[in-house]
Each structure stands twice: as C-alpha cells, then as structure tokens.
C-alpha cells in the first residue's frame, strides 16, 4: 500500500498537466477545418465531395458519398497538427437514405502508414448509424494522438447507399520530439559523481520501424544498472539493485512487455519504481515485479544515456543496437530531457545527429487478408542482364503459405517460394514430376519483419533470408520469367498447382532492382490484386494478453489463437476446466475406490490441483492431507525464552487447504502429547506454556474438541483427568508419563500450522508429541439445494466475475414444462440458462456480438421429477452446453468479436428480474466460476423458496453407488444402473465374467440416434457450431485377475485404422497402446514394470483428455503421459475384451497378445458409457454384442480373496520350514491348507451361483414393477444408452446421488 501511495503521488506530479488536459479533452476538431483537410477514395459528384462531410452541415448534397463502383471507399480527415482524439461521431447524409451502419477507424501521423484502431477487447468495428439524422458518438476506450484519421465503411443502409458526416472530439497537447538515426544518443549527466534514488518515474513515447534498439541505459560501479530496450519487437527492462550474483553474470534477466512495437506508430512507456517494487507499462499492458538484489536504491554513475550506448567498450556493458526512431515527451523523474536538449542545456550532451522533428521514413505496407483469395500480380520490366531478381519484406504468424510464384521459360517450369512449417521452401518445378528444392532452416512465422532476396541472374538460384547464409539451387541454364509475378497467392486460372495462400503483410517489393509502387497498384495503374488492404499492416498479437488460463501456452495464426493445456491440469479451449474432481466425495460418486487422487477444490478457479488421500472404506469419505512431520518428536531443554518450534508444511498450499476445509462438512486433526514433568498451562495464572498456531497464524491454547474459547484438554471436556484439580493430565506435573491426546475439530482454525513447546527445561522434563494429518469428510456443495414453489420467487446473489470466461454447473428436477434457472443482465450483455420446453435446455448470452443460443434436446422429457445435470460454459473461444449424458453442444465465438461479458445486475437464480418465466422445482449444487452458492442459507430468508429439496433422492447419503442413478418413486426409490458397470439393487454388485483362451466379447458401435444430431439454434450469424480434436477423450475402467502373459485385455478399433489396446506384455507388465495417427508409430506406455499376471485382483482406470493421458493402477500407482497427438477416435467400430479375431494393423507385440487372448476374470468393465460385460449378460442375442467361446459369469472379488488366502498359505510355508519341526508335520499342514482352500473355493462358488439365481429373480421382479410404474425401465434405457458412444468425461458427473 505504501508503494502504491508513492506511485500515485509521483505519477500525479509528472502527469498532472496531462491529466488536466484529459479532463477537458472533448472539444470539436473538425468543424473549423478548411476544405483541403478532407480527402476521399472517390465521390459521386462534386456536391458529394469529402469537404461536405461535417457533422450537422447541409452543404452540397448534405454529406459525402463515394462512387457506386468504389470497391474500397474511405473518408480522410487531416487535423492539421498532432491532436489527442478521445471521441468520434458520425451521421448519415442529410435528408436521404444514405448512411453507414458500421465502419473501421484508421489513424496516421503522416497520412501514409496507417494503423487500425481496436477497442480494448480487440474489436475493430465501430457502430454507425440507423438513419440519416441521428448522431452516434463512439468514445474511444483509449485516446490516440494523431494527425490523420480515416473512416472506412463496412456496412451501410441496404435500401440506400453510403452517406457520411463526421466530427472528431479531443484537444491539442504539447509535444517534445527527438529523432535518433541509430548512431546517436542523448546523455543526461548528473551534477555529482553518482545519482542514488529510491524512487524513479520514467515516461516516454516512441515509434520505430526497427525491432531492436536501446532506449535508455545507466549503470553504477557497485553493479547497479537499468536498461530499457527494444528486442524482437518487444520492450525489455533490465534492472539490478546491488545483486552481486548478476554483477558478474552474463545472464541478465529481463522483464518483457508489449509486442509488434516496430510498427512505425507511437507507443507509450511508463516505468515506476519505489524501492524494489516496479511497474512497467507499455500502452495498456503492465507487468508488476520485485527486483532481485540486496539494495533498495538505484545507484547510477555519471550519466544516463537515451537512444543508445555511446561507448560499447565500457566495462561491464553488454553490446546492443542503438535505437532508430523517434521519442516524444521523454521524462526522467520529472525532468524533460528533450526540452533540455533542445535548449542546449549543459546537463545534456548530444552524441551523433539528434534532430528535434520526427522525419522517419514511412515504409508503406499492404495486408493480404485471406489465405484463400488474396494475391498481388505484378508485371515488371525485363532484366537487362537476363534472369530476374526479387526482394521484399514480410511478416506473418501463419506457418504455411505461398509467398511468390513465377512461371518460367521454357514451359511448364515454375518457381515457387513457400512458407512450410514456419520455414522457407524454394521449389523449382520442371516438366513431369521433376523438381529441385531447398529449405532454409530459419523460423519466419514469428510476427517479425523478414527480408527475402531471390536471384536467378546467375546460374545457381540464390535465396537469402535476413542475414542468414544464402541457399542455392544449381541449374544448367539461366531462368527467364514468363508472365506475371504472383505474390501471396495466385488465381486458379494462372496457377496449375495452387498452394495455400499467404496471410500477412508485405512491403518494400523490388523486382529486377525496381521498386514496386503499391499506391499505383491501389489506383489501378500497376498490376492486379484481390483481397488486399493498402497503407496498413493489420497484424495483431492474439497472445497479448495471454487468454489461456492456468499457465496454458498460447500459440497463434493470423486469425486465431489456441491454447496448449498439457501439463496444467486443465482442459478446454482456454484451459479453463479442471480435469480433476473437486473433492474425494466427487471421486466416490463416480465409482472410485480408496487411493491417492488429485483434487481441484475450486474447480476452474486459480488455486490448481493438489494430491490427497481419499479413504472410502467407511460410509463417510475422508480426505487426508499430510505434512512434513509424520514421526513422533521428542522435546527436551525448551523454555518460554527458548521454546521448541515446529512448522508444518502440508502437501497443499495454504489457499488450497482453506478451500478444502471450507467446502467440507467437518474437519479434524489429532494432537498426541505425551509428557513427563512438562506442563501445558502455568499452574499459577493459567497462562499457556505450550501452544499451537492455527491456519491464520493465530495462537491457540486449547488441546481438544471444537470449543476454541475453552483452555482445556480433552480429559477435562470428558471429565476423566488423572487429577481433577487440573484441566490437563500434563498439568499434574508428575514424574510418570502422562498423555493429553485430543481431536481438534473447530475447522475454522484448522489445520495446525505450528506448534510451540516451552516447558521441558527442568530436570527430568520431557515431551513427545505427534500432530496427525488433516482429515475432512463431506462436500457441502453437493447437496446444497433450494426448492422454488412460486413462479415469481427467486434467489439473488452478487454478480460473479465472468468477463472473459464463465462456467455454470447445477442439478435440477422439476415437473414444470419450462422455467428460467438463472439469469444475469448488463446494459446490453446478458447470460441465461433455462428449460425452454419439457425436453430442451437453452443457454443464451450476448457479449456484444448479438445474441447467441445453444440448445440441447433430450429424447426423453426432462420434467420427470428426476435429477438432471446441466453444465454451460462460455469463453473467448467458444461456448458449450451439456445436459446429463447427451452430446456436448459447441458454438464457436467470432474471430474478431467482443470478448468481455459485462454484467451489472445481480445474479438471479430460479427466476428473472421481471419475475416472469420463473422456475418451479429444485436446484442444487450450483457453481458459477468455481464459486459454490449457498442456496439453502439464502432460501431461508426468501418467500416462495424453501431450503433443501424433498424426496428420497435428495439426501447426501449415497443410495445408488458407482454412477447409479437414483429414481424417485411414489413410495420409495429404485437405482438405475444402466450407466454403471455394476449391478444389484444399489449398483454395488460387480459384474464379472471368466474367460478362457478362445473367449471374447465384442460390442459393435452404431450411428447415434437422430436426436443426438440436433442443431443448436443460433441468433447470431457469426456464431458457428463446431467440434475440435482437442475435445477427444476416453474414459476406461476395469478390474482383472490372471496368471497368463502375454494377454489381451481390451481393444478399441475404428473404421479409420486407429486403435487403443491394453495388454499384458510377455513379462506381465501392463502396456497401453494408442495409435491415433496411421502415418506414425503408436504411443506405448508401461505404467508399471512389475508383473500383474500374479493371480491378484488389479483395478485399472485410464482417462484421456486431448494429449494428456492419466493412468491409475490399484490405489497407489498414478501416472501421467503426453500423447504425440490429440486426435479423436473417428468412427469407432468395435470394443473387444479378450481374443481379437479380426485382423488389425497391430504391432507384432500386440498381435501376439491378441492371438493369445485372455485367461482369467474380468470385472466392472466400462468404456465411456458402455458397460460391456453388462451388455453381454443382459443383451444376449443382440446384434450389438458378439460372444465367442465359453463365457461364464463369475465373481472376481471372491476369486481374489480365495487366491489371496492360497498365496498367504503358500507364502507361510518357507517360514515354517525354518522352524525345528519334522518333515511329516510340514506335509500335514500343507495337506490341511490345501483341503481348507478347496473347501473355501467350493463354498464361494456355491455362494456365487446362489447369488446369481437370487439376483436374476430379483431383477425379474424389479423389471416387472418398473414396467408398471414407469414406462422407461432402466434396462430399456440401457439399450438406448448403448448408442450414445460420444459421451465425454463430464458425463460421468451426471448422477451424483
């Protein structure tokens, strides 16, 4: 805060005048301009001339209108001098049907090189008029300082023509300019030997067409330095305050801000430092950081240099290229450097040629807008020496594109220069298939300007890029060009072999050493072109700022960006969605067992995942977080003056711990304290001699229970202390060992962060303590529910932070045909999720691009009084909506649309602000952008809404297990296990099958139902539904017992020759094979090298999201791998367990395992939605399921127990051999053990048979009862759901009951 106050005060001193100017910077600038200040691309006639385009004027025809044949119309205004522009206003042509409904705004210092104005969210389009008389003002989100403005119409009245009158509002400002030619600099010399400052403010504006150059440099003898420089079109700040490690190091670390700063336009820079805190701002992008080193002041000797380093040989100075460009209003701690230089003050020394007017050359560029249709065709004069040469500069982000194509003599030869995989590729095509080619191993798709020179005037064709060594193609005769030179693309009629076009900028085009005038091309005097924009390079850095969340890596092309989420723990178009569950409770509800898991307690929030142990053996699901002190600690010799202190570092960050504790129903932590003559409290005044610190660092002195205000131990609360005169056993201060063990359960104080022991310094004093792990159970958000029983009622909450990304997740059940689940409004923007009809959920929103609508239609009614899950997400790349396990619907965001969702009202849940279309029913587990809303608390104080939700399936107890769905009945409930790999009345009975070598089960996938192909309605023509390979995902789980290797466990094959296989290799190790791209070798992963063919039961779960593969084996093995491709499985054909009969393009090792099949027991097999063993047992005779060889229903769990007992007996035998017993006794024991094992096995088999008979009988009874009560039985549903094979991982969250 102190730093911020200083920065504010400093900034107000140095920019106070500017701020005052801004306050009054709204004066009209156009109304008094002369006719000569107006220009246009064309005019319909003299009365429609550009100078008639003044706001509210009726001169001539009442405004400007271009010719009907003008394909690129524009109106230009010269403000006569540099002005600060804050607002623009437009109006149609007076008393006409001519107006412009949208336009672009360009600005320029010289009227030659133009820059396109973009709003803060990147949108370039301005809203225009809807009639000819109303004035529409657009206030600029940031002001621009410029002389020339150009209005470029985009859309106009379809019933009329273009008509425009304009006004510009702003003010003049004082400008001090210096021009540096790349060999000059200004030196500001101090009055004393060195200058030491604890606070600095440096501000300036600059423009340049060079990507490299030093703007500022200063250094001191003790090692301090400050350098501000352009590097690769970005601004780097090097700053060191007495850090001896960096003083002698060549690796100086820079803080980088900005991008594409070599665009010949002005950029603002502010550097603010107070002590070690620094703010660096370039235009609207800022970095805040803290300097390294011991010092708090910057000590610079003799001078600061601006524009370059005049003495490159100065000791300790690293060489850099001097700045070539202009600087304006350069201030150092309130000192106007350029003004002092201009007035030739003695503090300023000028090196080289520094002038005080900006006369930088304007390099005019053109932009190739389309990769499919843009081209520039030029026909130059022939070279006098034969052959030809071409030089030009270009910049792009695209990794592929055609730069140049030239037809050659004799026909049909041609020369092509391409960008291929970010490298230049020159190809000489001869007759037939003959060709010569050369690659330049130099990356050019980095957004920077690159120079290319191609010369055929000598026999070897030479290609040179920037300052790299030339590449050559040897030819036997000199090449002559034939016809036009095509840049950036080529009309299909003139190109026999069309290539992908170039999308980017070009400038300085020379053919045969003659410059090509792009202005003449634009005027139709030279060459031909299509889809080009002249006088401007519209490149933009779509990764600045980085819109990929959670550390996702941004990459871009000319028109879009993408996020690489690998290694982040998140997925989605912008790495917004956590791939982990939010709690152990959530893992149990999807069928997981005890083990180590990564949980993300705030979902899509900023905290990130952490690993915990989930204990699911009890009815309650416990979450355990360990710390660094697991063993008991012995303490001696401590006192209050020199206490023993132990700090606990947990396996999670403090913020993650807080989130886990907050969402848990209950938390506790055991503290074991054994003592001998070591008291906890002073017997005289009761002050503590030992204590612990809570999670906030507050001192606590209670040692058990949940009453933090009571200074007692557990024995006092339970009234069983060894001496009732004391509140703790240890306070009796006896020679014998005593124990004060307690359970801390006031969760707002947990976990224990530190323990302090202060009374072990007396003779015979000793203490031994142990602090257990933090243990929490329950998830308060899962069953937090509210019931809405009045249509006009609603709950309201504060507006969530959802400008760039928002995700909404909740469950609902209702009998009403429609109703709004939630709504949030802004001035124009909004977001809404509703049940629009009994079977349709709709997600609609508007971020400024027009309303967009996503709908999911169910083949069954959703108002069936059962719980249904809804998840909606909107980010800058796309929107999505999913309902239960219906297919995920996507809507792509427009490439250059608005990004920010601006909401101002409260969030309404269960209704709308208008109190219409309210929702009747239950909503639970509402989460918006990782924030869990407490519906129950708000419902208690809201009329028409009650806390909780009635029904058997509305409690926190897990009535149905392993993804089973709880279905309400009039007199109870039933569990729908159709989406579970388990069976039984509560979906907790494993479905197991025994295989032999010839056995196999194959499930054949079919096309989805037509209901899955419903198209989401869209109100905005710029929003397009799509699917992306990055959404590829699979979820597989199964258990098995075998002693055979190699063995084939599971195979997934597609019609496109892709496959996934899980096998046991020859050594019994598990191998996972992913073959996603047929032209590459498959990815092979071995999570564990030890043999799993050991006769034991093993549980395997495999989950893929894009390139990320997560594998869990049993409870203790967790692995993460990265695939070589994120391609999805295209047209899945079959899923097979056991022996594979059909010939596949398998690797030799996989082929061998496929031929061997599988001998053993497979249990609870699930692939996405398909529970294959259940399908085989319940759908025998179905065309979808093919069974080969003997297949016997079994019980893997019972076999595992039997096998475990046998192995234990066998394992005990060697130990017994070491004991002094006779050989006969050992033989008798072995016989007895074998008999017992056989009896146990026979009993288990008999029990399994009886269980199966009872199970079938009960299933038949249930089937009949369900048919009477509900026409959609779970087995009928299951047969239907077998077709839904495109489900994603989020589908697994459908039934949390």
């Amino acid at each position: 805060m102190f730093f911020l106050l200083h920065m504010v005060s400093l900034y107000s001193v140095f920019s106070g005048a500017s701020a005052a100017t801004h306050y009054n910077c709204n004066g009209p600038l156009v109304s008094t301009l002369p006719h000569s200040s107006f220009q246009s691309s064309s005019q319909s006639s003299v009365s429609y001339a550009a100078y008639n385009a003044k706001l509210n004027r009726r001169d001539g025809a009442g405004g400007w209108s271009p010719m009907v044949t003008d394909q690129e119309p524009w109106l230009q205004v010269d403000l006569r001098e540099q002005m600060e522009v804050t607002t623009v206003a437009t109006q149609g042509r007076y008393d006409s049907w001519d107006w412009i409904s949208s336009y672009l705004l360009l600005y320029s210092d010289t009227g030659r090189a133009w820059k396109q104005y973009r709003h803060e969210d990147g949108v370039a389009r301005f809203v225009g008029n809807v009639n000819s008389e109303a004035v529409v003002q657009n206030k600029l989100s940031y002001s621009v300082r410029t002389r020339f403005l150009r209005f470029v119409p985009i859309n106009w009245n379809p019933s009329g023509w273009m008509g425009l009158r304009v006004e510009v509002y702003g003010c003049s400002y004082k400008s001090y300019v210096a021009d540096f030619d790349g060999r000059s600099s200004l030196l500001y010399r101090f009055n004393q030997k060195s200058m030491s400052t604890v606070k600095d403010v440096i501000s300036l504006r600059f423009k340049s067409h060079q990507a490299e150059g030093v703007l500022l440099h200063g250094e001191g003898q003790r090692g301090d330095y400050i350098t501000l420089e352009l590097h690769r079109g970005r601004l780097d700040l090097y700053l060191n305050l007495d850090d001896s490690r960096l003083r002698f190091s060549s690796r100086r670390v820079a803080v980088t801000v900005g991008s594409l700063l070599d665009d010949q336009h002005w950029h603002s820079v502010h550097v603010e430092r107070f002590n070690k805190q620094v703010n660096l701002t370039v235009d609207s992008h800022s970095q805040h950081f803290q300097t390294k080193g011991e010092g708090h002041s910057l000590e610079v000797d003799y001078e600061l240099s601006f524009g370059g380093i005049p003495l490159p040989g100065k000791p300790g100075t690293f060489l850099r290229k001097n700045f070539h460009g202009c600087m304006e209003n350069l201030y150092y701690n309130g000192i106007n450097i350029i003004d002092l230089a201009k007035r030739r003050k003695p503090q300023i020394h000028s090196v080289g040629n520094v002038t005080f007017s900006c006369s930088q050359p304007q390099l005019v560029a053109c932009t190739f807008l389309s990769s499919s249709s843009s081209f520039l065709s030029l026909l130059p004069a022939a070279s006098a020496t034969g052959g030809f040469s071409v030089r030009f500069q270009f910049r792009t982000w695209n990794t592929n594109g055609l730069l140049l194509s030239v037809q050659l003599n004799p026909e049909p030869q041609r020369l092509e220069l391409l960008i291929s995989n970010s490298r230049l590729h020159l190809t000489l095509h001869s007759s037939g298939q003959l060709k010569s080619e050369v690659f330049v191993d130099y990356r050019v798709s980095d957004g920077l300007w690159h120079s290319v020179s191609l010369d055929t005037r000598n026999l070897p064709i030479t290609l040179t890029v920037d300052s790299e060594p030339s590449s050559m193609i040897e030819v036997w005769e000199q090449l002559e060009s034939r016809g036009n030179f095509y840049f950036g693309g080529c009309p299909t009629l003139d190109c026999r072999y069309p290539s992908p076009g170039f999308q980017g900028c070009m400038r300085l085009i020379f053919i045969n050493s003659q410059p090509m005038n792009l202005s003449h091309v634009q005027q139709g005097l030279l060459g031909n072109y299509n889809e080009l924009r002249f006088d401007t390079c519209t490149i933009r850095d779509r990764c600045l700022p980085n819109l990929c969340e959670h550390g996702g890596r941004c990459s871009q092309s000319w028109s879009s960006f993408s996020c690489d989420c690998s290694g982040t723990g998140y997925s989605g178009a912008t790495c917004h969605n956590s791939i982990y569950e939010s709690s152990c409770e959530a893992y149990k509800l999807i069928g997981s067992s005890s083990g180590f898991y990564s949980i993300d307690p705030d979902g899509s929030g900023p905290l990130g995942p952490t690993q915990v142990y989930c204990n699911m053996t009890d009815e309650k699901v416990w979450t355990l977080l360990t710390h660094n002190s697991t063993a008991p600690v012995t303490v001696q010799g401590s006192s209050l003056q020199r206490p023993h202190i132990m700090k606990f570092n947990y396996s999670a960050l403090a913020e993650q711990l807080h989130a886990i504790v907050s969402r848990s129903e209950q938390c506790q932590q055991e503290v074991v304290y054994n003592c001998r003559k070591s008291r906890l409290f002073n017997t005289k005044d009761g002050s503590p001699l030992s204590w612990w610190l809570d999670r906030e660092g507050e001192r606590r002195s209670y040692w058990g229970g949940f009453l933090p205000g009571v200074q007692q131990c557990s024995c006092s609360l339970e009234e069983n202390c060894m001496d009732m005169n004391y509140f703790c056993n240890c306070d009796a201060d006896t020679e014998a060992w005593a124990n004060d063990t307690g359970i801390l359960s006031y969760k707002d104080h947990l976990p224990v962060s530190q323990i302090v022991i202060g009374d072990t310094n007396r003779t015979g004093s000793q203490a031994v303590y142990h602090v257990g792990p933090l243990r929490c159970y329950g998830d308060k958000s899962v069953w937090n529910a509210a019931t809405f029983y009045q249509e006009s009622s609603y709950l309201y909450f504060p507006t969530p932070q959802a400008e760039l990304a928002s995700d909404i997740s909740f469950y609902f059940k209702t009998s009403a045909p429609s109703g709004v689940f939630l709504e949030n409004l802004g001035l124009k923007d909004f977001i809404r999720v509703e049940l629009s009809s009994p079977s349709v959920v709709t997600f609609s929103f508007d971020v400024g691009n027009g309303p967009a609508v996503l709908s999911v239609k169910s083949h069954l009614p959703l108002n069936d009084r059962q719980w249904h899950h809804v998840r909606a997400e909107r980010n800058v790349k796309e929107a999505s909506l999913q309902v239960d396990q219906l297919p995920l619907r996507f809507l792509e965001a427009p490439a250059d649309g608005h990004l920010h969702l601006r909401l101002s009202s409260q969030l309404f849940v269960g209704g709308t602000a208008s109190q219409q279309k309210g929702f009747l029913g239950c909503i639970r587990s509402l989460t918006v952008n990782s924030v869990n809303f407490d519906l129950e608390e708000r419902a208690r104080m809201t009329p028409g809404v009650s806390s909780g939700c009635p029904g058997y399936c509305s409690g926190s107890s897990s009535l149905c297990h392993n993804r089973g769905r709880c279905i309400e009945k009039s007199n109870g409930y039933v569990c729908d296990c159709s989406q579970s790999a388990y069976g039984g009345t509560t979906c907790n009975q494993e479905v197991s099958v025994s295989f032999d070598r010839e056995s196999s089960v194959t499930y054949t996938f079919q096309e989805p139902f037509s209901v899955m192909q419903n198209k989401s309605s869209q109100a905005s023509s710029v929003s397009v539904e799509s699917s992306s390979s990055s959404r590829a995902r699979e979820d597989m789980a199964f258990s098995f017992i075998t002693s055979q290797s190699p063995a084939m466990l599971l195979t997934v094959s597609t019609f496109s020759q892709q496959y996934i296989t899980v096998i046991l290799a020859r050594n019994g190790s598990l191998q996972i094979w992913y073959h996603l791209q047929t032209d590459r070798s498959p990815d092979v992963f071995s999570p564990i090298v030890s043999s799993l063919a050991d006769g034991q039961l093993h549980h395997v779960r495999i989950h893929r999201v894009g390139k990320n593969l997560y594998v869990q084996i049993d409870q203790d093995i967790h692995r993460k791998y990265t695939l070589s491709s994120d391609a999805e499985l295209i047209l899945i054909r079959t899923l097979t367990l056991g022996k594979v009969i059909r010939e596949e393009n398998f690797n030799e090792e996989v082929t061998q395992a496929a031929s061997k099949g599988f001998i053993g027991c497979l249990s609870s097999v699930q692939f996405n939605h398909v529970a294959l063993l259940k399908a085989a047992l319940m759908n025998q005779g179905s065309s979808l399921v093919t069974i080969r060889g003997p297949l016997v229903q079994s019980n893997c769990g019972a076999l595992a127990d039997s096998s475990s007992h046998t192995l234990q007996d066998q394992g005990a035998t060697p130990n017994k051999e070491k004991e002094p017993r006779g050989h006969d006794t050992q033989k008798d024991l072995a016989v007895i053990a074998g008999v017992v094992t056989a009896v146990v096995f026979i009993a288990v088999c008999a029990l399994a048979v009886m269980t199966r008979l009872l199970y079938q009988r009960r299933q038949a009874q249930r089937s009949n009862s369900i048919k009477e009560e509900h026409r959609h039985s779970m087995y009928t549903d299951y047969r239907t759901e077998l077709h839904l094979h495109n489900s994603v991982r989020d589908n697994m969250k459908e039934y949390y009951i």
Side-chain angles (χ1 to χ4, degrees), residues 234-293:
R234 301 172 181 266
L235 195 67
D236 290 349
L237 174 63
Y238 298 85
L239 183 61
N240 179 42
L241 306 182
D242 194 23
D243 190 343
S244 58
R245 292 171 301 176
L246 295 178
R247 191 185 313 173
F248 306 105
S249 172
S250 60
R251 297 186 62 187
R252 301 187 173 189
V253 180
V255 176
T256 302
V257 183
S259 179
L260 307 175
L261 301 179
D262 56 342
D263 60 357
Q264 305 180 80
H265 293 281
W266 288 107
H267 298 280
S268 299
V269 181
H270 286 281
V271 182
E272 304 168 300
R273 181 187 69 86
F274 179 71
N275 289 335
K276 302 175 73 171
Q277 307 296 323
V278 184
N279 275 337
L280 172 61
T281 303
V282 176
D283 298 332
S284 59
H285 306 291
S286 297
Q287 285 269 25
H288 173 72
F289 65 97
Q290 183 170 327
T291 62
K292 297 180 179 179

Side-chain angles (χ1 to χ4, degrees), residues 28-30 32-34 36-37 77-85 107-111 144-149 168-177 205 266 328:
L29 305 178
V30 171
T32 59
L33 292 176
S36 59
S37 289
V77 179
D78 179 3
L79 301 177
R80 315 303 289 179
E81 61 178 318
Q82 291 274 1
M83 292 288 184
E84 183 155 4
V85 178
Y107 58 96
S108 171
D109 279 352
T110 62
V144 293
R145 293 176 177 178
T146 187
R147 175 175 172 177
F148 295 90
L149 288 171
V168 177
Y169 300 92
C171 57
S172 60
Y173 74 99
K174 192 69 173 176
S175 175
Y176 298 90
V177 179
R205 298 177 75 229
W266 288 107
E328 180 186 61

Side-chain angles (χ1 to χ4, degrees), residues 933-1048:
F933 288 90
D934 193 342
L935 302 176
E936 294 183 351
E937 181 184 14
R938 191 60 61 94
R940 293 188 186 102
M941 59 185 74
T942 305
V945 187
S946 63
S947 177
C949 184
Y952 293 91
C953 299
S954 298
S956 58
S957 60
S958 299
L959 301 176
C960 303
H961 305 277
N962 300 307
R963 298 174 61 200
R965 181 186 182 190
C966 183
I967 297 180
E968 298 277 3
K969 296 296 177 181
S970 58
N971 58 350
Y973 72 95
V974 295
C975 291
D976 177 4
C977 305
S978 62
Q979 294 299 306
S980 173
Y982 292 77
T985 55
T986 59
C987 310
N988 62 351
Q989 180 179 331
E990 70 173 34
V991 177
S992 306
V993 171
S994 292
F995 287 69
D996 70 10
R997 187 179 300 276
E998 300 301 322
S999 302
S1000 70
V1001 179
T1002 300
Y1003 176 79
T1004 303
F1005 289 83
Q1006 289 186 338
E1007 288 296 318
F1009 289 121
S1010 59
V1011 69
M1012 296 179 60
Q1013 300 169 3
N1014 66 83
K1015 299 294 182 182
S1016 297
S1017 59
Q1018 57 187 62
S1020 175
S1021 60
V1022 295
S1023 299
V1024 181
E1025 281 197 51
S1026 72
S1027 62
S1028 170
S1029 62
S1030 63
R1031 303 185 185 110
R1033 56 184 70 194
E1034 296 88 38
D1035 206 338
M1036 294 169 272
F1038 57 89
S1039 303
F1040 71 93
I1041 299 175
T1042 187
S1043 299
Q1044 170 208 355
S1045 63
M1048 173 62 74

Side-chain angles (χ1 to χ4, degrees), residues 469-524:
S470 298
S471 302
M472 290 181 288
I473 296 179
E474 295 290 343
V475 292
W476 299 103
E477 59 181 347
Q478 194 171 59
L479 301 178
E480 298 289 342
S481 62
R482 176 172 52 85
N484 293 335
F485 286 64
Y486 290 100
F487 293 86
C490 187
T492 55
L493 294 178
D494 294 340
C495 291
R496 199 166 300 174
Y497 306 99
S499 301
F502 171 73
Q503 206 171 11
C505 303
M506 285 191 187
R507 70 184 185 191
L508 298 178
I509 300 176
F510 288 79
I511 302 179
N512 296 332
S513 303
Q514 297 297 316
M516 299 292 104
N517 192 323
L518 295 179
S519 296
H520 290 174
V521 176
Q522 184 181 14
Q523 296 166 14

Side-chain angles (χ1 to χ4, degrees), residues 257-489:
V257 183
S259 179
L260 307 175
L261 301 179
D262 56 342
D263 60 357
Q264 305 180 80
H265 293 281
W266 288 107
H267 298 280
S268 299
V269 181
H270 286 281
V271 182
E272 304 168 300
R273 181 187 69 86
F274 179 71
N275 289 335
K276 302 175 73 171
Q277 307 296 323
V278 184
N279 275 337
L280 172 61
T281 303
V282 176
D283 298 332
S284 59
H285 306 291
S286 297
Q287 285 269 25
H288 173 72
F289 65 97
Q290 183 170 327
T291 62
K292 297 180 179 179
E294 303 298 327
H296 289 77
S297 63
L298 174 64
E299 189 171 296
V300 178
D301 292 342
Y302 303 112
E303 65 193 18
L304 277 174
S305 62
F306 299 93
I309 305 175
L311 299 175
K314 186 183 282 188
T317 301
F318 46 94
L319 290 175
R320 289 288 187 269
K321 188 175 180 179
N322 281 17
F323 174 72
H324 190 181
C326 299
M327 293 192 205
E328 180 186 61
N329 294 349
L330 170 58
Y331 286 88
Y332 168 69
N333 288 343
I335 300 170
N336 189 334
I337 301 297
I338 296 177
D339 181 46
L340 292 180
K342 194 173 182 180
R343 292 189 287 130
R344 301 182 180 277
K345 293 296 181 179
Q347 303 99 307
I348 302 295
H349 177 66
S350 179
V351 177
N353 182 28
V354 179
T355 59
F356 300 101
S357 62
C358 191
S359 58
Q360 290 295 310
Q362 294 295 302
L363 307 180
V364 180
C366 65
T367 303
F368 292 75
L369 300 174
S370 171
S371 61
S372 60
S373 57
S374 294
F375 71 88
L376 171 62
S377 173
L378 298 173
L379 182 60
S383 172
T385 59
F388 60 88
S389 65
V390 181
R391 287 188 291 122
F392 61 92
Q393 293 183 359
F394 71 93
R395 73 190 313 175
T396 185
W397 297 112
N398 287 4
T399 57
N400 296 285
L402 174 65
L403 289 173
L404 175 66
S405 179
V406 184
Q407 301 289 333
L408 303 175
N409 281 323
E411 200 173 352
Q413 292 188 102
R414 76 181 189 281
L415 195 64
E416 280 188 349
L417 180 62
L418 301 160
I419 302 176
S420 177
N421 294 323
S422 299
R423 269 69 177 170
L424 287 188
H425 179 201
L426 179 65
T427 305
L428 174 62
H429 295 271
S430 302
S431 57
Q433 299 297 320
L434 298 177
K435 64 180 181 180
S436 303
E437 57 188 354
V438 63
F439 287 88
V440 180
D441 191 16
Y442 179 71
R443 186 170 182 269
V444 295
S445 300
D446 53 6
L448 299 177
W449 284 108
H450 295 283
S451 299
V452 177
S453 175
L454 179 64
D455 196 339
T456 69
R457 289 174 295 186
N458 298 314
L459 282 185
I461 305 173
T462 60
L463 173 66
T464 307
V465 185
D466 296 336
S467 57
E468 295 295 301
S470 298
S471 302
M472 290 181 288
I473 296 179
E474 295 290 343
V475 292
W476 299 103
E477 59 181 347
Q478 194 171 59
L479 301 178
E480 298 289 342
S481 62
R482 176 172 52 85
N484 293 335
F485 286 64
Y486 290 100
F487 293 86

